[in-house]
Amino acid sequence: MANLRITTTRMHFGLNFIILIIVSSIYGNHTLDSGKANKSSTSNGSPSSPSSNASANQPVAALSLIPDEEIAHFVNQSRITTCKFSQPDVRLQWRNPRNTIVSDTKGRVHIEEIGGALLLVFESIVRADQGSWTCEADAGGTVLKKSFKMIVNEPISFRDTSTVQTATEDKDATIRCEVRGHPEPSVSWYFNGQPLFPPNAKYTALADGLLVKKVTKNDSGEYTCKAFQVSSSGSSFEEKTIRLNIKHKPYFQKPRGGYSWGNVTYGYVGGAVNLTCDAVAEPPATFTWSSHNKKFSHKNHLIFSGPHVSMLQIVIKNSTAFGKYKCEAKNELGTISREIQLREGTKPDPPSRFQLRGVNSDTLDIDVGATKSHDVDPDHSTIIGYRFEMIPTEEFAKHRNWDRAHRRDFDVEDGVTYLLVHLIPDTRYLIRVAARNAAGLSDWTEVKEFTTHPLQPHGFNSGASGPDANALLFLRLLTALSSSLLSTVVKLKF
């Protein structure tokens, strides 16, 4: 910005000095032309009297400003105005809008004498420079004056406006957006792209921002402060987007997924189970786990933490692991807790069916005999999903383990097959599957090897190995639609 201002200032000085040279040339030519005209009239006309010659040779007193028009400037710009009198040896001086004589020869606003002219130099214009500036000439006791009007505009700017601001739930909050400019800009507000129309019961426009009354978590989002400015030199528009975060106490989120048993979780001896605690808070909550009034630590238990979630992994070595576990979420605004019961469930059996239904260059269609009952609600022993693990045969041969295998989880769907997509063309894969119920995963099926087709220019291979991509997707959509309709019929019947 500093370099830009210096460059702009030099450009203004250069332009004004060029104007000054042109003006000087005009004045010089005017003097020469006047002399020639006098000589011509003397030689070509009749001789005049000495008094008439003296009157004709007396120049007319004139005071001029260059430039003399009313010009609008922005703050930090520069300007030079030249004051010149038609007769030599006349004292010139400048007065500011407060009628004070400008006498400084250096500084932000100063004067310079060049070739009989008096220059008024503005190195950096400020708002206080607005008004009438007057040049005076004392011509033998007669004071001649000429003025120009300086108009100073200030572009739109945002003062003390942070792009991320915070408010507290259930309290009034002011979103700061202090807009400066001259002429004074008009301001409008938007929330998540939708216009607000203050004042109303929720919002009030302030000189330095927007008042939001009794904020809630729903008031969190993006507020845009838009400023419009219209002046004699044109119009301008600027905007500032502010992210408002609402500080609030923790609250538990609803369980994710299609199956939920409330605050009950199932497991089986010899397996492992993850107890999950989801609590949204601002600032984020800290989580603690305990059982029988004994707090768990990261040293002795596997506790995984993420944004607004904590997960405690319990390895069930024997039946003493079953019981009640407590999760507590706390921040500076409040504390909440939840009790989770870990009950003994049934380990599911592996899928009874595991066969390839279709294949192309990047997709395998696998049938595991999935079924979903629509007559009764699922219980903790019901199969609710499947987990697939796959790894290229060559990669498995290098490491001899499944640590680098890709994992895909699916919820159960009635009578459908499962598409393993985004595979590598012409590649052999080792694949295994496990069933999942509320208590956890079954043992893995036997490992099978399937090979994707070489890359085909026209998509799926529609030969004997299986249906094409569009057919598979259509069958899946048709099956899902049939299941939904059947479920609706059963509910209406009973």
Side-chain angles (χ1 to χ4, degrees), residues 5-37:
R5 291 176 178 174
I6 292 172
T7 304
T8 306
T9 302
R10 289 175 176 171
M11 290 175 63
H12 279 280
F13 277 134
L15 180 60
N16 281 282
F17 276 120
I18 291 173
I19 294 173
L20 179 61
I21 292 172
I22 294 172
V23 170
S24 299
S25 300
I26 293 172
Y27 274 113
N29 291 337
H30 175 73
T31 304
L32 290 174
D33 291 343
S34 298
K36 290 178 181 179

Side-chain angles (χ1 to χ4, degrees), residues 46-66:
S46 59
S48 59
S49 64
S51 60
S52 63
N53 287 339
S55 175
N57 291 330
Q58 184 69 29
V60 178
L63 186 65
S64 60
L65 300 181
I66 302 176

Side-chain angles (χ1 to χ4, degrees), residues 151-271:
I151 298 175
V152 181
N153 292 332
E154 182 179 354
I156 295 172
S157 64
F158 298 94
R159 305 287 180 88
D160 300 326
T161 303
S162 173
T163 56
V164 179
Q165 301 182 30
T166 304
T168 302
E169 187 179 26
D170 295 328
K171 294 184 179 181
D172 293 350
T174 298
I175 304 173
R176 286 191 57 81
C177 182
E178 187 175 355
V179 182
R180 297 287 184 86
H182 184 80
E184 183 177 355
S186 60
V187 178
S188 58
W189 283 92
Y190 289 75
F191 175 51
N192 290 336
Q194 299 301 314
L196 303 176
F197 301 99
N200 52 44
K202 184 68 175 178
Y203 305 105
T204 300
L206 305 176
D208 60 350
L210 179 71
L211 174 65
V212 185
K213 299 174 184 176
K214 204 173 179 63
V215 298
T216 67
K217 295 184 292 292
N218 294 331
D219 293 318
S220 176
E222 290 188 345
Y223 291 80
T224 303
C225 173
K226 296 187 177 183
F228 300 86
Q229 184 184 63
V230 178
S231 66
S232 58
S233 58
S235 61
S236 60
F237 163 77
E238 297 288 344
E239 66 178 35
K240 190 89 166 181
T241 298
I242 301 157
R243 172 71 191 182
L244 181 66
N245 295 325
I246 307 300
K247 295 171 65 175
H248 60 85
K249 63 185 180 181
Y251 68 93
F252 289 118
Q253 298 188 95
K254 294 181 179 180
R256 290 169 286 185
Y259 301 93
S260 174
W261 289 270
N263 290 335
V264 177
T265 300
Y266 293 90
Y268 55 82
V269 175

Side-chain angles (χ1 to χ4, degrees), residues 8-9 40 61 74 94 197 201 286 308 325 345 360 381 402 440:
T8 306
T9 302
S40 176
F74 281 105
W94 280 100
F197 301 99
T286 55
H308 309 298
Y325 294 82
N360 79 337
S381 63
W402 289 82

Side-chain angles (χ1 to χ4, degrees), residues 448-480:
K448 292 189 177 182
E449 185 179 62
F450 302 116
T451 304
T452 55
H453 285 171
L455 187 63
Q456 298 294 325
H458 301 294
F460 268 83
N461 185 337
S462 57
S465 59
D468 63 23
N470 292 331
L472 286 171
L473 293 175
F474 176 74
L475 286 174
R476 291 196 66 183
L477 180 61
L478 184 62
T479 302

